[in-house]
């Protein structure tokens, strides 16, 4: 596309692309914008180095004028978008990229790959956080996804409401608090379970978490308290009927005087399993597979579509709305859009309003898009805790039905004006 547009003289024609989704994953009531910070890093550092240019040249993928254009590529346009951590709905203009056609169209794949992945993880994390209530959630999914996706998944989970990660690379890169426990292999390494517990406690202190379901849970709990004393930090349960076992372990710990010892549960948890344990004496959840795979929805089906372009290459030429009109459910709405949330008389959000014309006066202070990049320069890199807090606040402003785990339609309708 870039090569053809350069040859046709349309590559520099001012264009507006928007990221949106036509629908939420089946049964989901809201989406979560996540990955924006990573998108900004990618846009800021998007380059074609000598090795890449040589590859394109050797394979004959593009012609010489295009190679020369790519060799000096720097995005110099503008980006507007929903603040990271905000919620979104079908049709929400989550990200708007403006500039010359060629410089914008090159960013499609990297933008969509980041937003689709991270937003899917954050949405699953948000549902799990709602189900967990005040109990903390530990991200433990690095072994269940691609090695490069694991760190991004941990970041997205933190945005969605998880409190810690077992992925040290994510802690190093993004400052996410890190925690972890031993695996069954550590227990099996030692001649007895007591030896394993003693080695761990002597090295890490009484506040450590001991894994108690390698052999017999009741015997392991008894041994754990004997080794660490009543100051034992926590025990982890990773198998069996978690509801039943958690009650039994809590009763046993209390009888042994370890009333402050916490119980952490793992074992293929998702938001439904977490909700089912709401009445159990559980203090924290560790979640892996279901989290990093989006709990059944590993993508958000976001698309990157041209919605407006200038009438000519003249920088002052007016924008013309454009949109795909073919049949098959993949139509789009043309025009450079704004978005706002309308509140009811009680201050509860009641609709996502999207428009292309003037913003109504009553929605002027409720607009969602903020400027992220101006003239190719990223305006701000937000701390991850700010993003995480923003999501918690955004979710709290939704109608109560947003946190229901039962299947349903988006909690807010999208209105076009």
């Amino acid at each position: 596309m870039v090569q053809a547009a350069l040859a046709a003289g349309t590559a520099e024609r001012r264009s507006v692309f928007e990221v949106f989704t036509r629908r939420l994953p089946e049964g989901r009531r809201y989406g979560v914008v996540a990955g924006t910070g990573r998108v900004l890093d990618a846009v800021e550092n998007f380059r074609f180095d000598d090795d890449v240019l040589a590859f394109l040249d050797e394979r004959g993928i593009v012609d010489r004028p295009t190679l020369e254009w790519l060799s000096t590529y720097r995005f110099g346009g503008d980006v507007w978008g929903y603040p990271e951590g905000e919620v979104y709905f079908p049709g929400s203009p989550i990200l708007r990229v403006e500039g010359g056609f060629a410089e914008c169209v090159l960013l499609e794949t990297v933008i969509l790959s980041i937003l689709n992945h991270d937003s899917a993880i954050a949405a699953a994390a948000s549902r799990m956080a709602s189900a967990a209530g005040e109990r903390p959630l530990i991200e433990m999914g690095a072994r269940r996804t691609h090695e490069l996706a694991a760190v991004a998944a941990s970041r997205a989970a933190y945005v969605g409401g998880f409190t810690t990660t077992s992925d040290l690379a994510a802690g190093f890169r993004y400052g996410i608090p890190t925690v972890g426990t031993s695996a069954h292999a550590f227990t099996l390494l030692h001649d007895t379970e007591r030896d394993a517990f003693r080695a761990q406690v002597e090295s890490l202190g009484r506040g450590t978490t001991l894994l108690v379901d390698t052999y017999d849970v009741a015997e392991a709990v008894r041994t754990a308290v004997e080794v660490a004393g009543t100051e034992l930090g926590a025990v982890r349960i990773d198998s069996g009927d978690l509801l039943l076992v958690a009650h039994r372990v809590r009763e046993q710990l209390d009888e042994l005087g370890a009333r402050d010892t916490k119980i952490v549960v793992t074992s293929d948890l998702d938001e439904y399993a977490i909700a089912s344990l709401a009445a159990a004496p559980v203090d924290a959840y560790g979640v892996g597979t279901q989290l990093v795979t989006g709990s059944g929805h590993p993508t958000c089906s976001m698309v990157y579509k041209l919605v407006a372009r200038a009438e000519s290459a003249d920088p002052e030429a007016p924008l013309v709305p454009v949109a795909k009109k073919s049949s098959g459910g993949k139509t789009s709405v043309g025009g450079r859009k704004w978005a706002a949330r309308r509140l009811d008389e009680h201050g509860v959000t009641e609709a996502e309003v999207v428009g292309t014309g003037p913003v109504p006066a009553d929605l002027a202070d409720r607009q969602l898009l903020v400027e992220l990049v101006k003239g190719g320069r990223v305006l701000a890199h937000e701390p991850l805790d700010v993003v995480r807090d923003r999501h918690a606040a955004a979710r709290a402003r939704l109608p109560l039905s947003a946190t229901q785990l039962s299947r349903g339609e988006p909690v807010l309708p999208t209105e076009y004006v």
Side-chain angles (χ1 to χ4, degrees):
M1 288 189 288
V2 170
Q3 177 175 307
L6 286 169
T10 54
E12 304 304 323
R13 184 174 289 188
R14 191 159 55 102
S15 301
V16 180
F17 287 83
E18 287 177 353
V19 175
F20 64 93
T21 185
R22 296 183 176 92
R23 65 191 66 85
L24 297 180
E26 184 181 358
R28 296 288 173 87
R29 296 172 183 264
Y30 63 92
V32 180
V33 179
T36 308
R38 297 205 308 120
V39 166
L40 296 179
D41 289 340
V43 170
E44 195 171 38
N45 296 292
F46 202 92
R47 303 286 188 274
F48 291 82
D49 60 27
D50 291 342
D51 289 340
V52 170
L53 292 170
F55 164 78
L56 296 174
D57 188 23
E58 292 166 2
R59 298 291 180 93
I61 294 171
V62 294
D63 60 18
R64 180 62 56 180
T66 306
L67 283 172
E68 294 175 358
W69 186 89
L70 292 174
S71 70
T72 60
Y73 177 81
R74 302 290 186 277
F75 178 72
D78 303 330
V79 178
W80 291 70
Y82 281 35
E84 187 168 14
E86 185 57 84
V87 295
Y88 71 87
F89 299 91
S92 297
I94 296 163
L95 201 73
R96 189 174 72 220
V97 182
E98 304 183 24
F101 173 81
E103 68 174 339
C104 293
V105 78
L106 273 179
L107 299 175
E108 176 177 359
T109 299
V110 68
I111 287 175
L112 287 181
S113 66
I114 293 172
L115 291 181
N116 268 312
H117 173 269
D118 289 22
S119 296
I121 306 305
S126 181
R127 285 164 59 86
M128 293 174 188
S130 292
E134 297 299 317
R135 296 172 177 174
L137 291 158
I138 308 165
E139 185 277 312
M140 304 176 75
R143 291 170 293 177
R144 297 291 191 260
T145 189
H146 188 279
E147 69 272 18
L148 299 181
V151 176
S154 180
R155 182 187 183 280
Y158 192 66
V159 170
F162 274 58
T163 51
T164 53
T165 179
S166 64
D167 190 328
L168 292 177
F172 172 76
R173 187 174 302 178
Y174 297 117
I176 302 169
T178 58
V179 300
T181 70
S182 61
H184 292 100
F186 184 76
T187 301
L188 296 169
L189 167 69
H190 293 81
D191 294 336
T192 67
E193 196 168 46
R194 182 179 296 273
D195 290 341
F197 290 171
R198 183 180 296 112
Q200 185 172 334
V201 170
E202 289 178 353
S203 176
L204 301 173
R206 298 176 186 274
T208 191
T209 299
L210 297 178
L211 179 60
V212 295
D213 73 328
T214 304
Y215 304 116
D216 178 85
V217 173
E219 181 61 30
V221 170
R222 185 179 303 107
T223 301
V225 176
E226 288 175 359
V227 170
T230 56
E231 299 85 9
L232 174 62
V235 296
R236 176 163 75 98
I237 307 167
D238 187 51
S239 59
D241 184 334
L242 296 179
L243 179 62
L244 176 62
V245 175
H247 277 287
R248 288 177 175 173
V249 168
R250 180 74 272 161
E251 181 179 0
Q252 185 180 9
L253 287 170
D254 291 348
E255 290 175 350
L256 294 170
R259 296 184 176 276
D260 294 328
T261 299
K262 299 184 183 303
I263 298 175
V264 179
V265 295
T266 53
S267 185
D268 291 327
L269 299 178
D270 61 10
E271 58 265 51
Y272 301 103
I274 291 169
S276 73
L277 293 168
V282 171
D283 297 287
Y285 306 95
V287 189
T289 304
Q290 292 302 318
L291 173 67
V292 298
T293 57
S295 195
H297 298 288
T299 180
C300 302
S301 300
M302 292 179 186
V303 295
Y304 185 91
K305 296 297 181 183
L306 182 68
V307 297
R309 50 88 173 168
E311 290 181 340
S312 69
D314 184 345
E316 303 302 319
L319 290 172
V320 177
V322 295
K324 180 179 178 180
K325 297 297 184 183
S326 62
S327 61
K330 288 193 174 183
T331 58
S332 55
V333 178
R336 184 178 185 270
K337 300 174 192 67
W338 52 265
R341 297 243 166 90
R342 190 174 65 241
L343 307 181
D344 64 16
E345 64 273 19
H346 303 293
V348 177
T349 310
E350 66 175 4
E352 183 95 339
V353 185
V354 178
T356 57
V359 181
D362 63 321
L363 294 176
D365 62 347
R366 302 293 303 170
Q367 294 190 71
L368 292 162
L369 278 79
V370 298
E371 195 170 22
L372 302 171
V373 178
K374 185 175 181 62
R377 182 174 64 87
V378 175
L379 298 181
H381 290 284
E382 293 186 304
L384 201 55
D385 282 329
V386 171
V387 176
R388 186 172 182 271
D389 291 345
R390 178 183 293 126
H391 174 64
R395 188 176 62 201
R397 287 192 294 267
L398 294 175
L400 288 176
S401 58
T403 58
Q404 292 179 352
L405 295 182
S406 57
R407 293 182 179 275
E409 297 300 313
V411 71
L412 295 185
T414 303
E415 300 177 1
Y416 292 95
V417 296

